Every structure is written in structure tokens, then in C-alpha cells.
Amino acid sequence: MREEKLPGGLRHYLRWARTQTGLTTRKWNSKRIAFVSVLIAISVVFFIVSVRIIPISALPSFKFSFIGLPVKITGFLFGPLVGIITGVLADLISFALVPTYYHYLYTIVISISGFIPGLCAYYYFNLNELLFSKKYRLFKFNQIVSYYKRQYDDALTKQNYEDIQYFSEQIAKFQVKVIALEATTKPKAMINFSFISTLALLALQITLTLVIFSKLDPTIFEHNRFIKNKDFYLFLVISGLLAMSVALIFYRVFVRKRFQLFLEIMAIVSFCAILEFINVFLLAWADTETLKTDFFVNLTGQAITNPIKIFWNLAIILATYKIVAPLVKSREGDRF
């Protein structure tokens, strides 16, 4: 008979992690389909109404400002695959109802707008919880208590009083740890994981922006629709991202009880930053192919509004998410 080992270690953690299947998959059902259908319809309605009010919104780059928000929320709520499907359908249906400029790159952009939020939701909520929540520690400590209780019973049978004393002390020790852990309300590890991830992402975007745009010919900026001076242009783009970083640091220092809100904000800021950076290049390329305009003019024009878009998307998506998410969770449980 193989000797029983004390629970713990990497293999023990991986066995536990494989049991957490509820964190990663969720089957389709009629209610899930209904929610996704409604969000697709909202995307299309947003676009149609915006075209009636502001005709310029029919232009591809402006179009995604209206249909992109519900797509991002769908991906954030239901995962990357659903986000892609929602983006493709929203783009094709809106184009069928209001024909305008079309290029496959635009469909790719809106698909990514659903895919990236789904990945970030998984990373910041599911993976974060799997790695840094107290669930595994509670599971391990309870298993250790059960292990020592079995050893205690065996020692009691053998009348080994030295082992009885030792195992009873270990049982009490880990029972205290379980009680203390259950009483902990502030998930510091999860908070720090999301905070450091978001700050590192913004720092990476600032670095890439400096590296890429500082190498561009200054004459390109003379044709920019907003800023003509290269140095002032870089200052504005970087200052917006720096302001977001400072705001997040300030929020982290003073965060007290609303931990879930903090995690949601970190996730939304991250996927908005990733999307805006990717969309700068894809939309500039698509506009160049479709509208026959200069790529670098499109590139600089898209990039200058990135920080504003991140702040705007954060406000709108967070407000909408706080309304929609409880409705989804009340019917489906967790996000995925």
C-alpha cells in the first residue's frame, strides 16, 4: 500500500485546477442566444440611428465608434468566440441595411473588438481567480486537516501518544488557518495581479508608441488632421496614456472595499488599450485601401485620439456592463 503524502505542491495544485471546469466553458442555451441577439441588434440600431443624425458616421472609422461598444460588451460578457461572431454579424447586417464603404479589414477590426475583451475577461477574472484567489488555499488546508485527522486516528489506534499530540497540534494549526483565511475579505493578490498587468500593458503601449512614431518622417505630421508638430503630437499621445496610468495608481492606493469594481476597471482599461493600439494600424490600412488616402496620415490621425477613446470606452462600457452583467449572471451564473 502506497504511503499517503501531505497535500500540496505543484501536482496537487494542477489536479485541483483541472477540476475548475466551470471557469472556462458554458454551453449555449436559449437565454444566452437571446442576450447575444439583443446586443447584435443594439449594435445595428446604434449605427442606423447615428447615420440619420450624423451622416459622417457612415464612414468606416466612425462606424466602429457606434457598433463597436455593444460588440465589446458582448465579448466581455460571453467570451472571445461569441465576441467574434457578434462582430461579424453586426458589421455585415449594418452594411446590408446601410451600404457604405466596405473592406474585409473592417470586418476583422470589429471581430477583434469582440475577441480581445473576451480574452481579457478570462485573464482578469477566471485566470486571476484560479491563480490568486483563496479557493485553492482553502481546499489545500481542508485536505491537510483531513490528512492529519486520518493520521491522528491511526496513532490513536496504535496508542502512540507522541504522534497523537503532534497530529492534534497540526489539526488545530491548520483549522486556525482555514478560519483566518475565510475571514479575509480583501483579495490583495488578485488586486495586485490585475493592477500590475494593466500598468505593464499601458507602459508597453507607451514604449511602442514612442518607438514607432518617433521614427516617422516629421513631414508626415504636416498633413495630420489634428496636430502638425511631431514632438507635440507624441507629447499628447503619451500624456494621455500617462494620465491613465497615474489615475490607476491613485485608484489602487485608495481602493478599499469595492474590489470587484476595481478588477472590472482594470480589465476594461486593458482591452480598450489593446484594441485602440491594434485598430490604429488596421483602420489606417483599411482606410488607405478603401478611401485611397495616405496611410501615414490615417495612422497619425487614428493614434492621436487613442487616449480619449480609452477614457470614453471605459466610462460607457463600465456603466453598461454594470447594468447588463447582473441580468446575465442571474440566469447563467458566472461569465463563461
Side-chain angles (χ1 to χ4, degrees):
M1 182 176 180
R2 190 173 61 180
E3 185 180 352
E4 187 178 5
K5 294 182 179 180
L6 183 70
L10 180 60
R11 293 180 65 182
H12 183 264
Y13 173 78
L14 292 176
R15 283 198 300 270
W16 172 81
R18 284 196 294 268
T19 66
Q20 306 302 297
T21 54
L23 293 175
T24 55
T25 57
R26 179 71 63 176
K27 293 182 179 180
W28 282 91
N29 55 47
S30 58
K31 291 178 180 177
R32 183 181 177 87
I33 294 172
F35 272 110
V36 174
S37 301
V38 168
L39 288 167
I40 293 174
I42 290 173
S43 299
V44 176
V45 170
F46 273 9
F47 172 61
I48 294 175
V49 172
S50 67
V51 170
R52 301 298 181 186
I53 298 174
I54 313 172
I56 195 176
S57 61
L59 293 174
S61 295
F62 290 95
K63 173 181 177 180
F64 294 118
S65 300
F66 294 93
I67 72 173
L69 287 172
V71 172
K72 293 171 186 175
I73 294 169
T74 304
F76 195 49
L77 282 168
F78 297 105
L81 180 59
V82 178
I84 290 176
I85 295 172
T86 302
V88 171
L89 291 177
D91 184 49
L92 296 179
I93 293 172
S94 62
F95 179 77
L97 296 175
V98 183
T100 180
Y101 299 98
Y102 181 78
H103 194 278
Y104 69 89
L105 284 172
Y106 295 129
T107 304
I108 292 176
V109 169
I110 199 64
S111 301
I112 292 175
S113 294
F115 179 74
I116 297 297
L119 286 185
C120 284
Y122 180 85
Y123 179 82
Y124 279 90
F125 300 125
N126 296 347
L127 186 62
N128 190 2
E129 182 177 348
L130 189 63
L131 295 177
F132 297 103
S133 73
K134 61 184 181 182
K135 285 184 177 180
Y136 171 67
R137 285 178 292 165
L138 282 172
F139 171 77
K140 184 177 76 170
F141 290 158
N142 281 317
Q143 282 212 330
I144 290 175
V145 169
S146 298
Y147 167 82
Y148 280 125
K149 283 182 176 179
R150 289 192 293 272
Q151 300 302 315
Y152 175 85
D153 292 338
D154 186 54
L156 194 62
T157 302
K158 296 177 181 179
Q159 296 295 304
N160 188 332
Y161 296 106
E162 184 178 346
D163 284 350
I164 290 172
Q165 177 66 25
Y166 172 76
F167 291 133
S168 63
E169 290 174 355
Q170 293 300 311
I171 291 170
K173 173 184 173 182
F174 282 96
Q175 283 179 334
V176 169
K177 286 188 176 184
V178 169
I179 294 171
L181 193 57
E182 287 177 338
T184 303
T185 57
K186 188 173 183 178
K188 290 183 179 180
M190 292 180 65
I191 291 172
N192 291 334
F193 174 79
S194 61
F195 172 69
I196 293 172
S197 297
T198 305
L199 216 58
L201 184 62
L202 290 175
L204 177 62
Q205 185 168 344
I206 291 171
T207 303
L208 290 175
T209 301
L210 284 173
V211 170
I212 295 172
F213 287 90
S214 62
K215 293 182 179 181
L216 295 180
D217 191 330
T219 58
I220 293 172
F221 294 85
E222 295 175 2
H223 304 288
N224 189 277
R225 289 170 286 181
F226 303 100
I227 306 298
K228 305 297 182 181
N229 182 274
K230 176 182 176 180
D231 294 333
F232 187 53
Y233 171 91
L234 285 173
F235 168 76
L236 287 179
V237 174
I238 299 305
S239 62
L241 295 172
L242 286 174
M244 174 63 78
S245 301
V246 171
L248 295 182
I249 293 172
F250 182 82
Y251 186 25
R252 172 64 187 91
V253 170
F254 291 98
V255 66
R256 290 293 182 266
K257 295 182 179 180
R258 306 186 69 181
F259 310 123
Q260 186 60 35
L261 177 62
F262 181 86
L263 297 178
E264 291 164 357
I265 289 176
M266 296 301 107
I268 293 172
V269 168
S270 295
F271 77 67
C272 287
I274 295 172
L275 284 176
E276 293 306 327
F277 190 79
I278 294 174
N279 289 349
V280 162
F281 296 93
L282 288 180
L283 286 176
W285 181 14
D287 286 347
T288 300
E289 294 289 328
T290 305
L291 305 177
K292 307 304 178 184
T293 51
D294 185 81
F295 172 77
F296 291 105
V297 172
N298 295 332
L299 185 69
T300 55
Q302 291 285 344
I304 192 63
T305 58
N306 266 3
I308 300 173
K309 290 178 181 177
I310 293 174
F311 278 100
W312 169 255
N313 279 300
L314 172 61
I316 299 300
I317 293 174
L318 181 62
T320 307
Y321 174 77
K322 298 302 286 185
I323 296 172
V324 176
L327 298 176
V328 176
K329 290 180 181 180
S330 66
R331 292 162 171 77
E332 292 196 338
D334 291 333
R335 186 172 288 97
F336 291 109

